[in-house]
Amino acid sequence: MPKHGLNVREAQLRLSHEMLDSLWGKQIALCDAGVGIGKTYAYLTACIILDKYGEKGGSISKPGCHPAVISTSSIALQDAILKEYIPFLSRILLEENLIRRPLKAVVRKGKEHFVCDQRLEQRLSAIQGKRKNEDQRQALLSLRTSYDMDQAHGLSGFDRRLICVPKFCPKNCPGRQTCRYRRYLERVKGAGIHFQLCNHNYLLADASHRAKGYRPLLSDYRALVIDEAHKLPEAAGQMCGKSLCSDDIQEICYMLEKEHQGIRAGRLKAKMKKLFHVIAENHTFEQEQRIAFQQTEECVSAIKESAAFLYEMARRCRGSVSKWVRGRLEEAGMVLCYFLVPNRKYILYLEQDGERLPVFCATSRRVPAYLDKMLWERGIPAILTSGTLKAGNGFLRIRQTLGLEETNRKKKTGVQEYVAESPFEYKRNCLLYLPQDGKQLRHGSQEESAWIAKQIKQLTSSTHGHTLVLFTSYSLMGSVYQILRGCLPYTMVEVWRHTQEEIMRFKKLKNAVLFAAGSCWEGVDFPGDMVSSLIIVRLPFAVPDPVREAEKEQYGNLRRYIEAVAVPDMQKRLKQGFGRAIRTETDTCVVTILDQRAARGGRYYEDVLCALPSCQMAESMEDVERFIRRRKNVDYYM
């Protein structure tokens, strides 16, 4: 690999050996891989070696068994593995005569990601001559040549649901012989595939099919890699939970209209619109947060009426609409009933969708047990990797959420733990500043916002812009932004809903200040001098919500909950945020945490240092200025 431009990293080699040992020994490996370690090449190589020498090690698979499944949380990582990592490795290994045929990989996704040719033509016919957003129209037309809807930029969510491959395809479909989706299935299930790539939800759906005796979604495999493994519990919560949103109702209404039930569809729209309006009026939503359902008299009455309406419509439709539509009506009614008579199996809460309408959510209380049953009990060797599996001093918290606690599971498969430290020189290239001059200001107060704004202004001046400010609260971000508006000599960019567009704008500016929260704490790349100052406003403790309140009930007192759950979760999130600072071996950055609980002598000072790599420490703003002057060249200030 060094012949082809990659650096030799001893930590990466050791990580790959640990992964291979776990696969060879049919174990589960928890691999915490620091930023820049190259974990993707490590696990791909381990899987290739297992495939090449598997028979010698006694790991013989069935004929036609695909060696490995790689599950990720993001489409971006799947694309990188498919288009960059695997072709690169394949070329090198072929040149060195280490493999006999090119490595082949396929992406496996659910039907909802692919276009149905018949439904596409029906939709294009329906919008012909009508007013339609031009980007959305062009996205629909592009699908005549591309069957993967994820590649159609500008496609609306409503159009996606109307033209995707249906859950059950009719056997007498006139397009069956030329169906592009059927041809895709034949290709991905063919022989000679080394890797099947999917997301966590698809992996769990396949496991569910196998547990119920249904036809598997994935071809049989003998090794499992779960990248971005810290996101697996969230996916499991979605898989074994229930939800109801405005989009679900729109889809049901569309199907009713297609089955010549336009009057019923109109009544359903009106009834559910009223319900969502009542719920929205009686609740105060915070962006990207889950809130408890308020059982006010008005809300309960609206839910009772809507649930009864859904069940009655399903009964009256028997014989006049498809079984699938009736099932969707009954399922919608069932979700509403959970909010009338709480079920101990589910934790109930509300969220907001992209249109600021409420979403009824019911998530399972038994996610760890679900993961153990669906994945680990099968005995397939697995690598679970991420940069944030370890929290503080150990893996106890991630074991708990993944269903890998030794006390609660059948020991069919042993669990190994391994930490691969980042190769980056944090001691040289990163300065950690924990200011101690802040007062104990009340959270959410104007005084706190003013003090934070003052610190940001001084820091951006010291580092000449090039700043990312991470907030844990959108309301606090808005307050601080308003105070600083017009007061900084650098362009200020604020990320709310249009995340990608604003991030791209920040990158093009090269010397700006980005205010961000929510999803920007992870998965966003700012290499080079783009972010030379990272400011973390508050320690990222999780906001109390119904799911965390339910988890708190499992502990005898608040202190035990904080030590076992709240602090490890904060450390994991803090590592994710800190990871935005240094993205390459030559990056240099000042990381500032303004939360006084993180300062020397503060309640969580030791927990913060335990979570982060060892860095230089700054005592004052002058130290920050000296570090930047010493580490940046003249071009940085131009």
Side-chain angles (χ1 to χ4, degrees), residues 567-584:
V567 170
D569 284 356
M570 179 276 289
Q571 290 174 314
K572 181 182 77 172
R573 191 72 165 161
L574 182 63
K575 282 174 69 177
Q576 289 167 343
F578 181 88
R580 303 313 100 212
I582 304 287
R583 302 302 298 172
T584 73

Side-chain angles (χ1 to χ4, degrees), residues 9 39 44 56 62 93 95-96 130 164 174 188 198 212 223 242 244 260 295 311 388 484 566 576 624 628:
R9 291 176 176 159
K39 60 180 168 56
L44 287 174
K56 295 180 182 179
K62 299 185 288 185
L93 297 176
E95 288 177 8
E96 301 291 336
K130 294 183 179 178
C164 71
V188 298
C198 67
K212 295 173 181 176
K242 307 284 185 183
L244 177 65
H260 311 291
Q295 284 195 321
Y311 279 119
T388 54
L484 289 171
Q576 289 167 343
V624 173
I628 290 294

